[in-house]
Amino acid sequence: MKNLKGFRGKYFSLAAILALNATIALASEGQSVVDNEKQLYTPKAEASSETTEVLEESSAPVVVISKKIKVSEVGAPFASEVYNKKEIEQSHSKDIYEFLNTQTSVTAMPSYGNPFTQAIDMRGYGLGYGYQNTVVTVNGRRLNTIDQVPQLLSSIPIDSIEKIEIIKGTGSVEYGDGANAGAINIITKDYEGAVVKSYVGDNGLWFGSLGVGVKEEKFSISGYIDDYSHNGFKQVSNDGTKDESWNRNKSIKATVTPIEDLSFNLGKTFSKMNVNYSNSLSYAEYKNDELDKIKGYSNQYYRSDVLNAGTNYKINQKLSFDAQLFDEDKVSKYTSGGYRSSYDYDYKSFDTKLLYNDTSVKALIGVQGFNGERDSGNNETTKENLGVYVKADYLLDSHTFSSGYRDEKVKYTYKSSTQNLESDTSLQAYDLGYNYKINSKTSVFTNFNHSFQAPDIDRFFNPVYDAFWNIIGTQFNGFIKPMQADTINIGFNYISYPHTLKGTLYYTWVDDEIYYNSLSGYNTNLKETEKKGFELSERYQIFSNLFTILNYTYVDTKIVDDGSGGLYNGRKIPGVSPHTAKIALGYNPIKPVTLLLSQTYKSRAYAIDDFDGSYGKMESYHVTDISATYTYKNYEFFAKVNNLFDEKNAMFVDFGGATPSVYPINYERTYMVGFNARF
């Protein structure tokens, strides 16, 4: 590993901040000739699940709450981040995980080395379990799983995405189970014409995709196909096996509008992926730069087959009805050393809502259902959720009042040749929000949200062992309780060219936070924890050819009462970096050329599951990327260097050993070059 002296990543962070302050001081207030899509972009109404409505400020950017109630970004009574397709394309991220980790307030890291199912964290719930406290949807379909496997975002090609919305510290009424930190909504685009993209890089990186679509007055059809492969960074087995991977996705969707106020939609998505990833290094091996040492590997194969269908009917000018059905068949095969597992998943869900939309009142009643089943061949385990909710926004001059309530029932079953177990619970969520528009560009808001998380099936059922530690059965976990959180947000928005500036202060009280206690060997609860923090984001068009982006988060976590005698009282939640900063500087030296320099920094944090802090804080995370894009008519050529300064980064995990286990991540410089063409 090359160890650069002098101008390393942490100094680049400081230099970038100083440069940002200096350029702001020199900024011109003149009108930019660069297209500022953040200000001009208004998402198209999608007949599948969105009701068209007229906003007071037609040019204002729009936040769509799971495509249920639409509000202007400056008028939203909650904290949010919105990223449109131009910003996503401009980043030249390989996948959605890279975009989230480098461009947003969300942290994403390969889960124990697996790049296809990455752990995500938002608002201090930790890389260990943060993904279970954030609901992720794609076109309204819930991606959260019923067990301890993160959301499979690798099945969503980043080039198919129209918009990403991050709703923070709220959303439990609309999304239900697991929305303690908030929600990430991903909306894919409809292709019109054809789009071709391809890139290559070091270590055998190759990607190719094709998107095509036709749009007529009463009919549209759109689809894509892509293929990703990587030969791997290093040898992971003595037989010559490398940490190679491949991922293939296909999708097609169609919308029919037989009459003006009625539409039907139908879609099919198919994904396959396979990855070898190295087992962990010891801490000594990591410190000694033995990152290429052969440690054995795990193999993960996924197949996901999704069918969705729905309808939207505009009953009159104020009332509309929407119903969406989803059916996913998923297969997971995992091998690690002598351990093998094979699971078949069957996820069926629906989302129906009746929406009322008037000038001053916007309200909806919704019913959502999710039935998840996991079959291992020897046993069948299910988790069923059924939620009913109401939500309303009331607009009075410059004031927006928002309120909502949800009741959700959760049922568990376990069936084997010898056992048949059942259990159920009922949980509630509610939300109150207020936004005051000081003027058309500036607003302040506050929000109070009560949320919950029902345990997944891996936490709710414990194996029963014999005297020789062989599994002889399964029992309900009497040590686990549903998790509940109360969050208060206070923030401001200033959205007017050349600024998009947002800030939020928040405080969260959590009862019965779910975690794995390595001392007892059980999944159980921390009786009381708290999280408080500050979020700041700014996009500033300094000159017509120069812009900056800053995304900074601070979070402080504390275990108030561990519920187990006070061993962990006063400790931090592990896997949470108190400070995260993401800075970018974009420059157009000439009109067709865009240069983008970005830096991601995460401060030192305790290793995942190191609740007693026995290892101390681990190393911080630094990555600097640079890209160049040349555009000519409908053609785009780009090049990107990741980890420009060859920094060494890793995920650290407490498996109960004398030192942490280490999974190297972004530990060497990589590059890629490619093109994009539209016809």
Side-chain angles (χ1 to χ4, degrees):
M1 170 62 63
K2 186 178 180 181
N3 190 10
L4 296 178
K5 303 294 184 182
F7 193 65
R8 301 190 64 176
K10 58 184 177 181
Y11 301 113
F12 173 78
S13 299
L14 178 60
I17 293 172
L18 293 174
L20 173 64
N21 290 336
T23 50
I24 288 175
L26 297 172
S28 167
E29 296 299 325
Q31 180 66 33
S32 171
V33 297
V34 178
D35 173 28
N36 188 356
E37 186 174 292
K38 185 73 173 182
Q39 302 300 318
L40 300 178
Y41 172 66
T42 301
K44 297 178 181 179
E46 297 183 34
S48 62
S49 56
E50 184 175 324
T51 301
T52 304
E53 59 182 270
V54 178
L55 299 177
E56 293 179 358
E57 300 165 34
S58 60
S59 62
V62 172
V63 175
V64 181
I65 306 176
S66 188
K67 300 189 177 183
K68 293 179 174 65
I69 292 181
K70 193 189 291 187
V71 296
S72 67
E73 192 171 6
V74 72
F78 51 81
S80 67
E81 299 173 42
V82 182
Y83 300 92
N84 58 49
K85 62 180 179 180
K86 181 178 180 181
E87 293 163 331
I88 297 169
E89 292 169 355
Q90 194 176 51
S91 73
H92 294 301
S93 300
K94 294 194 303 295
D95 53 38
I96 188 172
Y97 291 121
E98 183 178 316
F99 181 83
L100 291 174
N101 197 46
T102 61
Q103 307 293 314
T104 78
S105 64
V106 177
T107 293
M109 292 282 184
S111 179
Y112 305 101
N114 188 340
F116 285 161
T117 55
Q118 298 198 21
I120 60 175
D121 177 37
M122 187 164 68
R123 290 211 162 179
Y125 285 88
L127 283 171
Y129 315 114
Y131 67 93
Q132 294 190 323
N133 291 278
T134 304
V135 173
V136 181
T137 68
V138 55
N139 298 329
R141 178 173 67 91
R142 185 184 179 93
L143 296 189
N144 293 54
T145 66
I146 63 172
D147 53 14
Q148 290 185 26
V149 178
Q151 300 91 337
L152 191 61
L153 300 188
S154 296
S155 63
I156 311 165
I158 193 167
D159 297 292
S160 70
I161 296 175
E162 179 82 18
K163 184 156 64 87
I164 297 173
E165 306 161 348
I166 302 174
I167 312 300
K168 298 178 289 186
T170 187
S172 60
V173 170
E174 295 94 332
Y175 308 107
D177 189 4
N180 292 317
I184 301 173
N185 295 326
I186 301 165
I187 296 95
T188 62
K189 59 190 176 186
D190 291 328
Y191 291 92
E192 191 169 4
V195 178
V196 178
K197 182 178 181 179
S198 182
Y199 59 77
V200 296
D202 56 348
N203 298 307
L205 174 65
W206 184 87
F207 174 82
S209 69
L210 171 66
V212 295
V214 176
K215 184 174 292 187
E216 301 293 342
E217 183 179 355
K218 294 190 176 184
F219 175 79
S220 67
I221 187 168
S222 175
Y224 64 79
I225 183 171
D226 73 5
D227 194 335
Y228 167 93
S229 63
H230 192 277
N231 289 346
F233 294 98
K234 67 175 187 177
Q235 187 176 331
V236 294
S237 175
N238 290 324
D239 63 7
T241 300
K242 298 187 69 176
D243 54 340
E244 59 188 7
S245 59
W246 55 263
N247 184 6
R248 300 176 186 123
N249 299 291
K250 296 180 286 186
S251 178
I252 187 169
K253 58 181 177 179
T255 302
V256 179
T257 308
I259 58 176
E260 183 178 356
D261 296 326
L262 177 65
S263 65
F264 299 95
N265 61 279
L266 183 67
K268 181 79 169 178
T269 301
F270 187 77
S271 301
K272 275 186 179 181
M273 58 197 72
N274 189 82
V275 59
N276 298 328
Y277 55 98
S278 175
N279 295 337
S280 63
L281 301 176
S282 70
Y283 190 65
E285 290 167 338
Y286 173 75
K287 294 296 289 184
N288 293 332
D289 286 342
E290 299 177 62
L291 304 184
D292 291 329
K293 190 168 185 177
I294 296 175
K295 300 291 291 185
Y297 69 99
S298 300
N299 173 264
Q300 182 82 61
Y301 168 83
Y302 281 108
R303 176 184 59 78
S304 173
D305 190 349
V306 180
L307 176 67
N308 69 275
T311 183
N312 181 276
Y313 177 51
K314 188 175 181 181
I315 301 170
N316 54 43
Q317 291 299 316
K318 298 182 179 181
L319 200 61
S320 62
F321 173 76
D322 185 270
Q324 300 295 316
L325 305 175
F326 306 98
D327 188 345
E328 179 181 16
D329 176 36
K330 185 169 67 174
V331 172
S332 170
K333 296 182 179 180
Y334 175 78
T335 303
S336 182
Y339 176 78
R340 297 174 182 270
S341 68
S342 180
Y343 291 132
D344 288 331
Y345 297 86
D346 185 16
Y347 290 166
K348 290 180 171 58
S349 59
F350 68 87
D351 185 355
T352 62
K353 53 187 174 288
L354 185 66
L355 177 65
Y356 176 83
N357 180 22
D358 199 359
T359 304
S360 58
V361 178
K362 302 173 185 181
L364 65 86
I365 300 175
V367 180
Q368 293 174 321
F370 181 88
N371 186 346
E373 176 185 308
R374 187 182 73 182
D375 189 347
S376 67
N378 298 320
N379 59 69
E380 179 184 297
T381 314
T382 67
K383 180 183 179 184
E384 300 177 35
N385 294 64
L386 180 63
V388 180
Y389 66 97
V390 293
K391 192 174 189 302
D393 286 1
Y394 177 63
L395 285 68
L396 178 63
D397 298 325
S398 299
H399 308 272
T400 299
F401 301 89
S402 177
S403 63
Y405 178 82
R406 181 186 188 96
D407 185 82
E408 186 159 331
K409 299 188 183 305
V410 186
K411 180 180 179 181
Y412 300 88
T413 63
Y414 173 85
K415 297 179 182 179
S416 69
S417 59
T418 59
Q419 290 179 298
N420 191 347
L421 308 176
E422 289 189 4
S423 182
D424 60 74
T425 187
S426 180
L427 297 163
Q428 291 75 40
Y430 45 87
D431 187 274
L432 295 170
Y434 169 72
N435 178 289
Y436 174 66
K437 280 188 182 179
I438 300 171
N439 53 47
S440 62
K441 305 173 184 178
T442 311
S443 67
V444 293
F445 66 86
T446 186
N447 176 275
F448 177 80
N449 183 261
H450 178 78
S451 57
F452 61 85
Q453 179 201 328
D456 64 69
I457 60 174
D458 287 334
R459 297 186 190 273
F460 206 83
F461 297 92
N462 281 331
V464 178
Y465 300 93
D466 62 16
F468 302 98
W469 291 99
N470 297 309
I471 298 177
I472 58 175
T474 300
Q475 65 181 5
F476 278 116
N477 183 0
F479 300 95
I480 202 85
K481 298 177 183 177
M483 172 178 172
Q484 301 191 57
D486 293 309
T487 300
I488 186 167
N489 304 276
I490 301 173
F492 69 90
N493 300 303
Y494 178 76
I495 303 175
S496 177
Y497 180 86
H499 290 280
T500 299
L501 178 62
K502 297 182 179 182
T504 307
L505 285 165
Y506 67 89
Y507 193 98
T508 302
W509 303 265
V510 184
D511 291 329
D512 299 316
E513 183 161 355
I514 299 172
Y515 82 111
Y516 176 74
N517 188 325
S518 59
L519 297 179
S520 67
Y522 284 102
N523 289 293
T524 184
N525 304 95
L526 296 167
K527 185 176 180 181
E528 184 180 350
T529 62
E530 63 180 23
K531 310 171 196 299
K532 53 187 175 182
F534 173 66
E535 300 162 334
L536 179 68
S537 64
E538 158 82 320
R539 182 183 177 97
Y540 185 21
Q541 191 76 43
I542 302 169
F543 300 114
S544 62
N545 62 346
L546 183 68
F547 68 89
T548 61
I549 301 172
L550 170 66
N551 202 319
Y552 169 76
T553 61
Y554 166 76
V555 59
D556 180 36
T557 65
K558 182 180 178 181
I559 300 173
V560 178
D561 184 355
D562 64 10
S564 303
L567 178 64
Y568 302 144
N569 287 6
R571 304 298 310 177
K572 305 295 184 183
I573 299 296
V576 178
S577 295
H579 302 275
T580 301
K582 301 170 185 182
I583 306 169
L585 185 67
Y587 178 56
N588 297 101
I590 57 176
K591 189 174 181 180
V593 176
T594 300
L595 305 177
L596 186 65
L597 181 67
S598 65
Q599 166 79 6
T600 301
Y601 165 77
K602 307 178 199 297
S603 63
R604 299 171 63 199
Y606 293 101
I608 294 171
D609 285 342
D610 183 17
F611 282 90
D612 60 5
S614 58
Y615 303 146
K617 286 191 174 182
M618 300 292 101
E619 284 88 342
S620 57
Y621 177 97
H622 299 266
V623 168
T624 305
D625 302 331
I626 187 170
S627 66
T629 305
Y630 175 78
T631 304
Y632 175 73
K633 295 184 178 179
N634 293 330
Y635 303 93
E636 181 182 83
F637 302 89
F638 61 88
K640 184 175 183 180
V641 180
N642 293 84
N643 200 0
L644 180 65
F645 298 112
D646 209 22
E647 293 283 354
K648 183 174 68 172
N649 300 288
M651 172 184 278
F652 304 90
V653 184
D654 180 0
F655 285 130
T659 63
S661 298
V662 184
Y663 295 89
I665 296 167
N666 283 337
Y667 60 90
E668 66 179 41
R669 185 187 302 111
T670 62
Y671 71 87
M672 66 178 185
V673 294
F675 75 93
N676 192 4
R678 295 175 174 82
F679 304 97

